[in-house]
Structures are given as C-alpha cells and as structure tokens.
Amino acid sequence: TYTEKRSMTISDDVTTYKLIGETYTLGCLVVKYLLIEDPTMTRCACFKPHPTFDFVNVIFIHADQKEIMLAALDNIKKELQTIKAEF
C-alpha cells in the first residue's frame, strides 16, 4: 500500500510502515499505540535512519499487520479528538 505520505511493506513477517514528512515523535506515538493494541508483540520499534531524512520507519511483527495498524491509528485519532474537545 502506498500514498504520497506513507507506505506499508510486508516481507518475512516484518512490517515496515514508512511515514514520509513526519517526525520521530509521531513514529514513537504509533509504536506506543501498536503496543497498547497488543503488548505481546516481540518486535515493535521506530527508527529514523538519519536526521536529514524526511521520513521515519515503524517496524513490527504481527499476524494481522494491517488490522493492528488501523486499530492503533484509529485509537490515536480518537484520543486526539478527545483532547481537542477539552480545549
């Protein structure tokens, strides 16, 4: 799956979610919510290969890669809407 701002690649059970034009902070947020969805994941991390690169990668191993990513992103969105409603 690819769009202008993100892509998801799955190879050898390892999923790489590439966020283009985003920061390491957002990548860490995605990792946090992936682990909230399934705390038993053995590999889930965020990395930015070099500070000058304009993308960040989130890598993880899970049987339902797309489903867990969508659930994590949906929960981030819900929490942001809750915060927005408070202000």
Side-chain angles (χ1 to χ4, degrees), residues 17-83:
Y17 190 65
K18 184 176 184 178
L19 298 164
I20 302 167
E22 296 297 344
T23 64
Y24 185 75
T25 302
L26 182 63
C28 288
L29 181 68
V30 172
V31 166
K32 178 180 177 178
Y33 276 80
L34 284 168
L35 290 171
I36 288 171
E37 287 296 315
D38 185 357
T40 65
M41 276 198 283
T42 56
R43 184 173 182 195
C44 187
C46 169
F47 70 95
K48 188 168 188 163
H50 192 273
T52 61
F53 291 179
D54 71 338
F55 65 90
V56 64
N57 290 317
V58 173
I59 58 168
F60 62 97
I61 298 174
H62 196 272
D64 296 317
Q65 301 96 339
K66 292 179 184 178
E67 191 173 309
I68 194 167
M69 179 58 80
L70 290 174
L73 295 175
D74 189 46
N75 284 335
I76 291 169
K77 186 176 174 181
K78 286 177 186 175
E79 190 158 332
L80 289 174
Q81 288 172 345
T82 300
I83 293 168

